Amino acid sequence: MPTLFDPITVGDIPLANRIVMAPLTRNRSPRAVPRPITATYYAQRASAGLLITEATAISHQGQGYADVPGLYSEEQLAGWRRVTDAVHAAGGKIVVQLWHVGRISHTSLQPEGGAPVAPSAIRANAKTYLAGPDGGGFAPTSEPRALRLDELPGIVADYRRAARAAIDAGFDGVELHAANGYLIDQFLRSGSNHRDDAYGGPIENRARLLTEVLDAITAEIGAGRTGIRISPVTPANDASDPQPQPLFEYVARKLAGYGLAYVHVIEGATGGARDFRQGDTPFDYAALKAAYANAGGKGAWMVNNGYDQALAEAAVETGAADLVAFGKPFIANPDLVRRFRERAPLNTPDNTTFYGGTEKGYTDYPALA
Ligand code: 8OZ
């Protein structure tokens, strides 16, 4: 019976334990370049079995918030090299989350002030975060334009280039962000995808961009260095689909064929209720995992959303999951693994310093003495 503290190898990546730092947007990378303080922040948390970086834009077009990092310029890659060196020096493993926001953006963040791109020209009822004179704030997302068929290969190529850049910058692998209502999720779910071509309509069409992107990434860096994050029922960023179970079981069966390092599932509403549902019936996560396993999927199963130590221990000990990702607890507890091990009290995260700012609420949470 494995415990949270046992090592595990996921794909090509050996991990010291099964406690993962979830991807967490922190908006502290002006001009999309990670600063030295970001290396400090991740290195402080390197005792996690695996660190997943904050979502990181694969292209300027993929950018949707102020001061989030990118992975498409030399300067950005040099910033990330500092991060991967610091994490590895501290004995950790780190993958970068590859992100294209699709319609969750704003003209002021897009190349030449253009419209954000999406499967269909349907505006999300969602907000983004913009820089401002007083430190920034939330603003409604802009009206998107529908991507032309002839633009999709360029987006796939951007993912491929970003995966290569990630390995060149020293990351142990990548996590494809296919969750939370961003571009790939916008294609998957019928609320945001009204296309009538090969990328819209039936589930297999809506999943086409996802599989093309995974084909490209795994060809470039290997499936053993590739993970993916999905969020079958989250309403985040206006994501909606009345039938998530067949949609995501189809996705799970597709994923099984790749030999991925891991599949990362957000259960319920991201950062919110674990029992959130879309459609009429509760989502069956065990059936999702079974669909993956029955189709030959061998990757580690990573779960996330509102786990505490007891819930996480139960998930790993019963085999419901191989890995558990923690978000807010890792913001406030750089030594979360030790605190779990020693059943020590946890620091409380300050949600006023989650997005934007400097070292306050970022690198100044105390570790145990
Ligand atoms: C919070 C704020 C901005 C972005 C996600 C990348 O939900 C995000 C995100 C979260 O996946």
Side-chain angles (χ1 to χ4, degrees), residues 42 52 63 75 124 137 223 225 237 306 309 320 326 339 341 359:
Y42 284 111
I52 305 169
Q63 201 93 18
E75 202 187 356
R225 298 201 169 278
N237 292 313
Q309 182 172 357
F326 296 87
R339 287 172 193 254
R341 213 189 278 280
E359 65 281 356

Side-chain angles (χ1 to χ4, degrees), residues 66-351:
D67 301 338
V68 295
L71 191 64
Y72 52 89
S73 79
E74 286 303 322
E75 202 187 356
Q76 292 160 5
L77 291 168
W80 282 122
R81 170 56 80 174
R82 270 196 301 260
V83 171
T84 60
D85 283 348
V87 168
H88 291 148
K93 301 285 182 197
I94 184 165
V95 298
V96 61
Q97 195 190 44
L98 301 184
W99 195 26
H100 190 307
V101 295
R103 66 180 180 164
I104 307 302
S105 189
H106 190 270
T107 52
S108 68
L109 296 165
Q110 287 290 303
E112 283 133 45
V117 299
S120 303
I122 305 167
R123 186 175 184 157
N125 179 17
K127 289 198 162 53
T128 180
Y129 182 89
L130 302 178
D134 305 319
F138 290 91
T141 54
S142 304
E143 178 85 28
R145 68 175 179 84
L147 282 160
R148 298 185 314 269
L149 263 185
D150 66 8
E151 292 179 280
L152 298 178
I155 290 180
V156 173
D158 286 341
Y159 276 103
R160 183 176 187 137
R161 209 169 7 249
R164 171 50 50 198
I167 299 303
D168 290 347
F171 284 106
D172 296 290
V174 305
E175 174 176 288
L176 176 61
H177 194 344
N180 293 346
Y182 297 110
L183 183 68
I184 291 179
D185 205 21
Q186 289 159 29
F187 271 86
L188 287 175
R189 301 211 226 181
S190 57
S192 43
N193 183 346
H194 293 192
R195 299 179 74 96
D196 56 12
D197 60 14
Y199 292 82
I203 287 172
E204 51 276 26
N205 283 0
R206 286 184 270 136
R208 194 175 308 281
L209 182 66
L210 166 63
T211 55
E212 289 178 354
V213 167
L214 271 180
D215 289 344
I217 293 173
T218 57
E220 186 67 35
I221 67 168
R225 298 201 169 278
T226 305
I228 185 171
R229 193 178 209 209
I230 57 175
S231 53
V233 302
T234 198
N237 292 313
D238 205 14
S240 75
D241 193 290
Q243 298 209 331
Q245 197 77 43
L247 169 60
F248 282 91
E249 287 187 17
Y250 176 87
V251 167
R253 290 193 298 273
K254 277 285 175 189
L255 297 180
Y258 283 94
L260 298 175
Y262 68 82
V263 178
H264 181 179
V265 183
I266 300 170
E267 299 166 339
T270 311
R274 288 182 47 74
D275 60 358
F276 191 89
R277 66 169 71 167
Q278 297 220 1
D280 301 329
T281 39
F283 194 85
D284 186 341
Y285 293 96
L288 181 73
K289 185 170 188 278
Y292 178 69
N294 291 338
K298 302 254 186 308
W301 197 258
M302 185 190 300
V303 296
N304 168 245
N305 202 27
Y307 278 79
D308 61 12
Q309 182 172 357
L311 202 56
E313 282 172 341
V316 168
E317 286 167 15
T318 59
D322 302 303
L323 301 160
V324 182
F326 296 87
K328 283 173 244 176
F330 257 117
I331 289 182
N333 297 277
D335 54 349
L336 186 67
V337 173
R338 177 173 170 203
R339 287 172 193 254
F340 280 168
R341 213 189 278 280
E342 299 181 7
R343 303 197 177 266
L346 302 185
N347 300 322
T348 306
D350 170 9
N351 63 16

